[in-house]
């Protein structure tokens, strides 16, 4: 086993050696900055097709944050090629920030395809240091597929808080702890959304309980063999329930919408 792991590690090191060499020469970062926008442009088309309904739902209430001027000032951190532009409300004044300057020409193309927006400017900067953006100047800050790759999440969130315009909440919109969802209702909702999870847990507990109950009648069989059988049966029930849940989710999210759209056309 140790020999196999050593061989696999050696193979990975050999395959990755060109990247290490380019990084040592100081060229890897330059190559990534040059070619990553082209990759992201192709990826964004597929990503938007799969996530269009989710993004429409996510950005559906953005227009509710319009500032006192009657216009929505929106800052997108890690804008990339402008994948989210088509989902922003008409008339939004969009400012984009990204540390890669090579995204600018792709942003100009996205702006030309989304005439309902007012493009303000493109700022080359990291999200952790957005000093070019004034304090309290933005109504909305958008950040998608970015926080997983930043160097300091806490610092970027502090910057987001700094550039956001302070808002006063009306008494109707104030949050109350009494209105918060209780533990039982949250559990019921999650069980309704993913029914195979509680089914798997219940099946696991049932198999284990039954196996322990029957243990005293297995005098002619070794206890270790009985426990192995019980563990395999319990784990098999859980794996089966999880597999069914994944298949059901894939059907609801991908298969059914495609067939529904075909029949609808």
């Amino acid at each position: 086993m140790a020999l196999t792991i050593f061989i696999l590690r050696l193979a990975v090191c050999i395959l990755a050696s060109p990247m290490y060499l380019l990084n040592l020469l100081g060229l890897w970062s330059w190559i990534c900055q040059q070619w990553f926008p082209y990759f992201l442009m192709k990826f964004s088309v597929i990503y938007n097709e799969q996530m269009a309904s989710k993004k429409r739902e996510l950005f559906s209430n953005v227009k509710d944050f319009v500032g006192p001027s009657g216009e929505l000032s929106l800052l997108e951190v890690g804008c990339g090629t402008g994948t989210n532009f088509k989902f922003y409300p008409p008339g939004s004044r969009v400012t984009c920030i990204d540390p890669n300057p090579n995204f600018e020409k792709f942003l100009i193309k996205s702006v030309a395809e989304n005439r309902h927006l007012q493009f303000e400017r493109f700022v080359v900067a990291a999200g952790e240091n957005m000093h070019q953006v004034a304090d309290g100047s933005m109504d909305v800050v958008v950040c998608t597929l970015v926080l997983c790759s930043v160097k300091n999440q806490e610092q970027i969130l502090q910057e987001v808080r700094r550039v956001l315009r302070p808002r006063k909440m009306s008494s109707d919109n104030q949050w109350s702890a009494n209105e918060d969802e209780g533990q039982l209702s949250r559990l019921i909702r999650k069980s309704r959304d993913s029914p195979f999870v509680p089914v798997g847990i219940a099946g696991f507990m049932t198999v284990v309980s039954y196996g322990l109950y029957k243990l005293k009648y297995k005098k002619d069989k070794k206890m270790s063999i009985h426990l192995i059988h019980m563990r395999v049966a319990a784990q098999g029930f859980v794996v089966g329930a999880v597999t069914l849940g994944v298949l059901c989710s894939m059907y609801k999210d991908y298969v059914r919408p495609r067939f529904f759209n075909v029949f609808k056309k």
Side-chain angles (χ1 to χ4, degrees):
M1 186 64 181
L3 179 62
T4 303
I5 294 176
F6 174 76
I7 294 174
L8 291 175
R9 292 180 61 182
L10 182 62
V12 171
C13 290
I14 293 174
L15 292 173
S17 58
M19 291 185 291
Y20 285 114
L21 179 60
L22 290 171
N23 186 52
L24 183 64
L25 296 175
L27 298 175
W28 179 246
S29 178
W30 179 85
I31 293 174
C32 289
Q33 284 194 347
Q34 291 291 329
W35 291 102
F36 182 65
Y38 292 95
F39 164 77
L40 192 61
M41 181 181 64
K42 300 294 184 183
F43 170 77
S44 298
V45 176
I46 303 174
Y47 177 70
N48 265 355
E49 289 179 356
Q50 299 292 334
M51 300 296 294
S53 60
K54 299 293 184 182
K55 283 195 173 185
R56 291 192 185 95
E57 180 182 356
L58 178 65
F59 295 119
S60 60
N61 67 332
V62 170
K63 58 182 179 297
D64 298 336
F65 295 91
V66 174
S69 63
E71 296 179 332
L72 181 71
S73 297
L74 187 147
L75 172 68
E76 181 165 0
V77 182
C79 56
T81 59
T83 307
N84 297 321
F85 283 4
K86 62 188 296 184
F87 303 101
Y88 294 155
S92 300
R93 304 175 66 90
V94 180
T95 300
C96 295
I97 282 186
D98 200 284
N100 190 345
N102 297 292
F103 278 120
E104 186 171 9
K105 57 184 178 181
F106 296 95
L107 284 175
I108 294 174
K109 181 180 178 181
S110 295
V111 170
E113 295 173 353
N114 296 275
R115 295 290 186 179
H116 64 288
L117 302 178
Q118 300 181 43
F119 185 69
E120 292 292 301
R121 57 175 176 153
F122 172 61
V123 179
V124 180
E128 293 90 340
N129 184 15
M130 301 185 291
H131 65 273
Q132 298 94 330
V133 183
D135 297 0
S137 59
M138 295 294 163
D139 300 310
V140 175
V141 175
V142 175
C143 185
T144 58
L145 302 180
V146 173
L147 292 179
C148 58
S149 58
V150 299
K151 296 180 180 180
N152 192 322
Q153 292 183 353
E154 183 178 357
Q155 188 173 350
I156 192 174
L157 292 176
Q158 289 177 354
E159 282 288 275
V160 168
R161 181 180 180 183
R162 178 184 65 81
V163 302
L164 279 173
R165 181 176 290 112
R167 295 178 59 88
K168 293 182 179 180
M169 296 182 63
S170 64
S171 58
D172 295 335
N173 294 329
Q174 287 182 347
W175 175 82
S176 173
N178 296 328
E179 297 174 357
D180 190 19
E181 187 178 24
Q183 294 292 337
L184 180 59
S185 59
R186 185 182 296 111
L187 179 62
I188 295 174
R189 177 176 56 81
K190 289 184 176 293
S191 300
R192 190 184 300 112
D193 295 337
S194 304
F196 287 97
V197 173
V199 169
I201 296 175
F204 178 86
M205 297 301 298
T206 301
V207 172
V208 171
S209 300
Y210 181 76
L212 294 176
Y213 173 74
K214 297 293 290 184
L215 185 62
K216 60 182 179 180
Y217 300 107
K218 300 293 181 179
K219 297 180 180 180
D220 56 337
K221 186 182 294 186
K222 290 185 178 180
M223 180 182 297
S224 60
I225 297 177
H226 177 72
L227 293 176
I228 291 173
H229 291 170
M230 179 181 66
R231 186 189 67 182
V232 171
Q235 291 177 341
F237 197 99
V238 173
V239 172
V242 171
T243 303
L244 289 175
V246 171
L247 293 175
C248 183
S249 298
M250 292 176 63
Y251 171 76
K252 290 190 297 183
D253 294 340
Y254 299 103
V255 179
R256 187 171 64 181
R258 291 191 176 184
F259 280 100
F260 178 78
N261 291 336
V262 170
F263 293 142
K264 189 175 181 180
K265 292 180 180 178

